[in-house]
Structures are given as C-alpha cells and as structure tokens.
Amino acid sequence: MLQLKQITKVFNEGTLDEKVALKHIELSLQPGDFVTIIGSNGAGKSTLMNIISGRLAPDTGEVVIDGKNVTTMSEHDRARYIGRVFQDPMAGTAPNMTIEENLAIAYNRTVRRTLQFGVTKKRREFFKETLATLQLGLENRLHAKVGLLSGGERQALSLLMATFTKPHVLLLDEHTAALDPARAQLITNLTKQIVEQYRLTTLMVTHNMEQAVQLGNRLIMMDGGQIIFEASGEEKKKLTVEALLQEFQRIRGSQFASDRAVLV
Amino acid sequence: MITALFSSVEAGLLYALMALGVYISFRILDFPDLTVDGSFVTGAAVASVLIVGGVNPFIASLAALGAGFLAGCATGLLHTKGKINPLLSGILMMIALYSINLRIMDKPNVPLLQQETVMTIITTAFQRFDQALATFIPFIPKTWAIIVFGVLLVTIVKVVIDLFLKTEVGLALRAVGDNKKMIASFSGNTDRLTIIGLGLSNALVAFSGALIAQYSGFSDIGMGIGMIVIGLASVIIGEALFGAKTIVRATLAVILGAIVYRIVITLALRVQFLETGDVKLITALIVILALVVPQMVATRAEKQRKARKRGAAVASTQADYESV
Ligand SMILES: Nc1ncnc2c1ncn2[C@@H]1O[C@H](COP(=O)(O)OP(=O)(O)O)[C@@H](O)[C@H]1O
Ligand SMILES: [Mg+2]
C-alpha cells in the first residue's frame, strides 16, 4: 500500500546548521496496517510524514503508493491518495467557512473540482449522516463557521474530513497533542473507530506511549532519523510501555535518562 | 447639488465593479494586490483604442475584461512561480503595465467624446423612457439610463460572484485565502487557484476601467493612480457600514461602499477650501478613519465591558461580605 525505499533527508546541507533528519528509511505497509510511531523530539517523525505527503521532497529514495512511484508528484496531486490530520487543530480546517463548506472542500479531495455547487441537497444529507457518527451534535450546526468550534471539535471535524473519502493512506501527526486529556481521549477513540470502520492504512505519530502500545497492529520507534525498533503481530500485542522503555534503553542506553521525560 | 449627487451614484456603480475586484483579491484570496492601479488603465486603454478603431463598444469592454484577466494572471505567476512576495508582485506588474498601457494607447490620452460608446448607446435606447419619466418626476437628470444600466450590471456581476464562490472551485478559492495548508491537503492546487483568483479580480477592475473611460469620455495614462486605495476605501467603508457576515452581504456592502465613497468625495469637494487635487488626501484620510475608528470603538466597548465586570465583582464580594 505504502512503501518507503531508502529515504534520506538532510536540512541545510553543507552549512553549519546541517541536520540529517532521515537516514535510509525503509518501510512497507500492507493494506489495513495501522502503524503507531513514537520517538523523541527531533527524531524525524514529522519530516517522514511530510515526505510521504509531498510537503517535502526526499534527497534520495522513493515513495510508492499503491505500486505507483509518487516521489516527484506535487503535494496537491498526491493528496488524492492521502488523508492528513495535523497537530494544530487550526491547521486542518478553514476557520471562516462553514462546517458544510469545509466538508465540501474535503469531499473534492478525490473528485475533480468543477463549477457545480459544492454543497448540494444530496451532499448536505450525506454530510449530516457522516457528522452524526462523531456524536458531537455538529450535524445540527452545518452553517456555523468552523472558527467558532472548540479545539476538540475542530480536530474531530479535521479527522472526519481527512477520512470520510477513504484515503489510501491516512497520516496523523500528533493529532491529539494540542488537546486537553479529555478531548485527546475523545479524538483517540474516534480515530480508532474510524480507522476500523473504513479499514484505513494508517501511520500515526504519537507522543503518548500508552496510546502507541494500545492502538494499531504495528509499532515503530524512531531516533536520530532512523527506525530503531519495530514490532508487529503478536509481538506488538504483547508490548507494554515498560518493555518499550527497556528496549529503548538497550538500544540507546546513555540517552535514556534525558529522553524518558519526553517519551512518557 | 442633486445633479452632482446623482452623477456620483452613477460613477459609484461603475467603480463598484473595481471594488468587487479588490474585494476578491484582498478579502477572498487575502492577497494585497497592487496590480489594480495598472490594470484599471489597461481596461480603459484597450476599450478606448478598440472603440476608436471602430469595434462595437460592448465587445471592446469585454476585450478589456480579458486583458485585465491576463494582467492579474501575470501577477499571480510572479507570486506563485517566481516566489515574489504579494506586494512586490503587484507593484512590479503595476509598473510594467504603465509602459504597456502607453503602448496600447500610443499616447497618454485617448478622447472618446465623438465616439459611440456603451454610455451613448444605452442613453439613446433610453430616450423614450427618459421623456416619459420626465413627466412624472420633477427632478430631471440628463438621463436615467446609466443608473439603470449600472444597477443591472452590478447586480448581475454580484450575483455571479456570489454563486461562483459557492461552487466547488469557488470554495477552494476561498480556502486559499483562509488556510493554504488545508486546501493543499485536499488536492487544491493553491498556485493555480491564486492565479485564477487574481485574474478574475483584475478582469473586474479592467472592466470597470473600460466603463469609466466611456463614462468620462476619455482614457488617460494617469487615471489609475491611487485606484487600489479607492478600491480598499470602498471595501472597508462598505464592510464597516453594512457588515460582512456572509459573502452575499459582503459583496452588497462593497458595492454600497463604492457609492458612499463617491458621495463623500463629491460632498467634500463642495467644501470651500478643498480643491480637486485634494481628492487623494481625502481618500487616504477616509481609509485611515475607516480603519482606526472601528478599532477605537471596539477597545472602548471592551474597556467598558471590563469595567462593568469589575464593578459587578466588587459588588458581589461586598454582597458576600455583607451576607456573612
Ligand atoms: N525545515 C527545516 N529546516 C531545518 N531543519 C529542520 C526542518 N524541519 C525539521 N528540521 C530538523 O530535522 C529534525 C527532525 O525534525 P522533525 O521531523 O520535526 O522531528 P519530530 O517530528 O520527530 O520531532 C530536527 O532536528 C529538526 O530540527
Ligand atoms: Mg513532529
């Protein structure tokens, strides 16, 4: 479904600020895989997501989606295959447009935009039904500007907008990190529900190890631009936070003390 | 006096098209586009030269609209492909257009007084109606034709803009001005949308220029100076006076803003010590006022609200104290 072949990315190459963000990343996702990604700050997780989505170009390597090499495809063309939710709840929606207008924009992720009306009677019904699955009552506020919603509501809407058109790959980059614990839990539950419902192939970056262990069928740990640990299947099911921390300590011994705070 | 006000409404209607163009770039795309000073004249120049060359004035005006579209697209290209910042892209295009406009006109001024124009055609068509009206209405303007034509045209353009901004492409265009990252993640080509949006904006500006040239009987290389500020003044005055909650409301507000602006200028020029040359200064002052006054009103309201709250808090602690 998604293959990353030998992805390398260096920022500010040849200057004093040179920073190797990704080193020879190899990753292959099967349809329906739900991979959680953890790693300390600066590990390269966001860079990886941005390279998959086309916001950044890799220095070397290939991104393949559904057998198609998309490495040089523009961000907006590639968006036909990819659904995304960002960390910032403000980033995924247009604040001065209404809920139904935002949904109409999301609807056109996979369908070429024309001079038809974005919100038709039929679509409005569809939007209502889809919004109802969030159980936040947003289906009764179709004409409300999205800027008026709370952070949690906006993020729930962003999640719905990224997923209701069934993307080939769903990218979630710490999409619960900016929310208070209760709201974060809500979005986590919705994520689980939606990913299962649509059987989405998903990559989810999270700062929460508990969440990384509980969700998904695969787990990846990144550090210094590399994948340093991977677990899937039965191994992943048996994984605990404590075991993960030990694993991290075994691989990166000395850094453990400083990173523990970030990871937990 | 009434005649002067009447003609400021006429001109206001024609300038409203330009203001709608400015509304699209400034408000919808969130792109401060200074191309306007140039593209307004481009519209006037193209229409005048074609009319003098014997082309039907309606077709000449549409050609002006097309020329404006191209000018706007060029600014869009400078910004998106050339990665030049929005203000500079507009300024560069404005300067480039100055020379291009001179080339189009081949001289700084093209008179249209002896020509058949959109204005003369509709005035002639309206003659019967004007005569009939003259028997009912005591106030007699030269003709009702331009007002009626202006209202019709501006209404049509407004409705088309309102509808367009509700289409799939229109929604994407609005999203470009609202959240670029978001629309890109939903397959929107932000570069192309920006270019199209600026094209449409300047098409309206040039169309307005073409009609103003025919209304005032000439096109002149300097007629676009400060046009962007007039456009902004109309948008800001309109929004401040009539609100901008929805698109439908905002486009109406911009049109009314353009008319109000003309009326204010007409009245200001009747003040003894002001001269025609002061118009630009007055315009700048109006924009400054329209920008500053709402802010001051808001801060004042906020202060009063806070003061009330503080008062209420004091009162309630006192009440608590007394109840103990
Ligand atoms: N645009 C950029 N320019 C320079 N350095 C960057 C840029 N983006 C990220 N980096 C650097 O690359 C490294 C990886 O960053 P990032 O992928 O954001 O990490 P993570 O998301 O895992 O916290 C960090 O050291 C960061 O400072
Ligand atoms: Mg990150």
Side-chain angles (χ1 to χ4, degrees):
Chain A
M1 202 56 159
L2 170 71
Q3 279 163 295
L4 302 177
K5 300 182 184 167
Q6 291 295 315
I7 300 280
T8 298
K9 179 74 184 177
V10 182
F11 287 110
N12 307 317
E13 198 163 6
T15 69
L16 280 176
D17 296 330
E18 183 169 297
K19 175 78 207 172
V20 182
L22 294 175
K23 281 182 230 170
H24 307 291
I25 298 282
E26 280 279 341
L27 185 65
S28 179
L29 301 198
Q30 300 304 312
D33 267 355
F34 183 171
V35 183
T36 54
I37 305 180
I38 52 172
S40 44
N41 268 334
K45 307 177 300 288
S46 296
T47 306
L48 186 68
M49 299 301 240
N50 286 333
I51 282 178
I52 297 170
S53 67
R55 240 183 131 66
L56 290 173
D59 296 342
T60 62
E62 280 178 12
V63 180
V64 178
I65 297 177
D66 264 351
K68 194 171 180 170
N69 185 346
V70 298
T71 317
T72 55
M73 196 187 267
S74 66
E75 181 187 5
H76 57 85
D77 284 333
R78 216 185 286 189
R80 303 218 176 278
Y81 306 106
I82 300 173
R84 268 188 283 169
V85 183
F86 309 100
Q87 176 171 348
D88 176 6
M90 307 300 149
T93 47
N96 291 310
M97 300 176 73
T98 64
I99 291 181
E100 62 176 15
E101 286 169 343
N102 270 273
L103 283 161
I105 288 171
Y107 184 89
N108 278 113
R109 186 178 61 77
T110 53
V111 194
R112 207 186 161 72
R113 293 188 166 83
T114 65
L115 290 179
Q116 297 176 51
F117 286 122
V119 182
T120 58
K121 234 189 197 149
K122 216 174 106 199
R123 276 190 202 169
R124 187 174 284 138
E125 279 314 306
F126 171 57
F127 293 161
K128 263 192 174 163
E129 280 169 31
T130 325
L131 278 171
T133 64
L134 294 178
Q135 301 189 318
L136 293 174
L138 294 183
E139 64 275 14
N140 305 319
R141 300 169 67 188
L142 286 178
H143 299 287
K145 294 218 166 123
V146 171
L148 298 174
L149 304 185
S150 72
E153 288 170 331
R154 270 183 89 163
Q155 202 63 329
L157 180 62
S158 304
L159 181 65
L160 188 74
M161 283 165 58
T163 52
F164 81 111
T165 45
K166 303 187 183 70
H168 296 219
V169 179
L170 174 64
L171 304 179
L172 308 170
D173 190 353
E174 304 209 34
H175 69 308
T176 63
L179 304 173
D180 62 59
R183 297 259 165 68
Q185 193 55 47
L186 168 80
I187 299 297
T188 305
N189 294 342
L190 285 172
T191 305
K192 196 164 172 240
Q193 173 196 323
I194 288 172
V195 169
E196 271 166 21
Q197 182 188 345
Y198 297 132
R199 311 173 126 276
L200 299 174
T201 309
T202 306
L203 271 175
M204 179 173 106
V205 176
T206 173
H207 59 293
N208 181 336
M209 286 188 118
E210 196 64 48
Q211 198 180 51
V213 166
Q214 277 168 11
L215 290 178
N217 66 328
R218 291 175 67 181
L219 180 145
I220 287 175
M221 193 192 285
M222 287 183 71
D223 192 52
Q226 289 174 306
I227 296 175
I228 57 166
F229 174 78
E230 221 188 315
S232 59
E234 284 305 309
E235 194 192 348
K236 160 77 170 65
K237 277 192 195 140
K238 281 188 273 183
L239 216 52
T240 60
V241 172
E242 206 42 48
L244 260 183
L245 284 169
Q246 272 167 22
E247 195 60 41
F248 190 76
Q249 189 173 27
R250 194 178 61 75
I251 303 167
R252 290 285 141 110
S254 61
Q255 293 169 14
F256 174 67
S258 62
D259 282 327
R260 188 186 167 102
V262 177
L263 283 169
V264 182
Chain B
M1 179 68 186
I2 288 183
T3 321
L5 283 179
F6 194 83
S7 23
S8 49
V9 174
E10 285 176 348
L13 283 165
L14 302 181
Y15 278 112
L17 296 168
M18 180 274 298
L20 285 170
V22 171
Y23 170 75
I24 289 177
S25 57
F26 262 76
R27 287 288 190 250
I28 299 294
L29 287 175
D30 195 21
F31 189 112
D33 178 25
L34 303 188
T35 313
V36 173
D37 279 23
S39 59
F40 186 81
V41 186
T42 306
V46 167
S48 313
V49 167
L50 288 179
I51 288 171
V52 171
V55 176
N56 175 296
F58 287 97
I59 293 173
S61 305
L62 288 179
L65 187 130
F69 182 80
L70 293 180
C73 289
T75 305
L77 280 169
L78 285 181
H79 172 61
T80 58
K81 307 297 174 194
K83 313 258 181 255
I84 301 173
N85 98 15
L87 279 174
L88 193 52
S89 304
I91 292 175
L92 287 171
M93 203 53 213
M94 172 178 100
I95 286 293
L97 283 175
Y98 186 90
S99 300
I100 294 171
N101 294 337
L102 258 182
R103 282 282 180 175
I104 295 173
M105 295 200 289
D106 207 26
K107 52 192 173 190
N109 189 297
V110 177
L112 290 172
L113 286 175
Q114 309 306 318
Q115 305 291 334
E116 182 171 68
T117 66
V118 167
M119 302 307 149
T120 61
I121 292 175
I122 52 169
T123 312
T124 317
F126 241 71
Q127 235 158 26
R128 280 264 199 69
F129 186 71
D130 274 331
Q131 283 159 5
L133 268 187
T135 54
F136 293 111
I137 304 176
F139 156 65
I140 306 175
K142 254 203 331 262
T143 171
W144 286 90
I146 292 164
I147 292 261
V148 173
F149 169 76
V151 168
L152 269 177
L153 181 68
V154 168
T155 307
I156 291 170
V157 170
K158 174 198 153 42
V159 171
V160 169
I161 293 175
D162 291 346
L163 291 178
F164 170 69
L165 290 175
K166 284 187 173 8
T167 65
E168 294 173 342
V169 176
L171 290 177
L173 201 75
R174 285 163 60 193
V176 167
D178 208 13
N179 186 345
K180 275 211 174 67
K181 188 172 177 181
M182 175 261 193
I183 184 64
S185 79
F186 290 113
S187 303
N189 186 338
T190 51
D191 286 0
R192 194 193 301 162
L193 288 164
T194 304
I195 294 168
I196 293 175
L198 289 177
L200 292 177
S201 160
N202 283 286
L204 284 175
V205 172
F207 190 46
S208 172
L211 294 176
I212 288 293
Q214 296 172 65
Y215 177 71
S216 38
F218 63 89
S219 68
D220 185 273
I221 191 68
M223 70 194 286
I225 297 173
M227 199 50 65
I228 184 61
V229 185
I230 297 177
L232 262 185
S234 311
V235 172
I236 294 168
I237 294 172
E239 288 178 345
L241 291 182
F242 308 105
K245 265 237 160 71
T246 61
I247 298 268
V248 173
R249 178 85 168 268
T251 47
L252 177 65
V254 169
I255 293 167
L256 297 178
I259 297 170
V260 169
Y261 167 80
R262 279 294 138 196
I263 294 174
V264 170
I265 291 292
T266 307
L267 293 179
L269 287 181
R270 298 186 88 80
V271 177
Q272 278 301 317
F273 60 91
L274 290 173
E275 294 168 13
T276 324
D278 297 334
V279 167
K280 309 259 189 240
L281 178 63
I282 298 169
T283 307
L285 286 176
I286 291 174
V287 175
I288 292 168
L289 277 180
L291 285 173
V292 173
V293 171
Q295 274 178 43
M296 288 192 333
V297 171
T299 356
R300 233 183 112 98
E302 177 76 13
K303 264 196 194 135
Q304 280 175 351
R305 200 177 58 79
K306 286 228 173 97
R308 255 202 310 279
K309 230 173 157 182
R310 221 176 299 127
V314 169
S316 77
T317 40
Q318 238 158 30
D320 282 352
Y321 190 75
E322 276 156 21
S323 72
V324 168

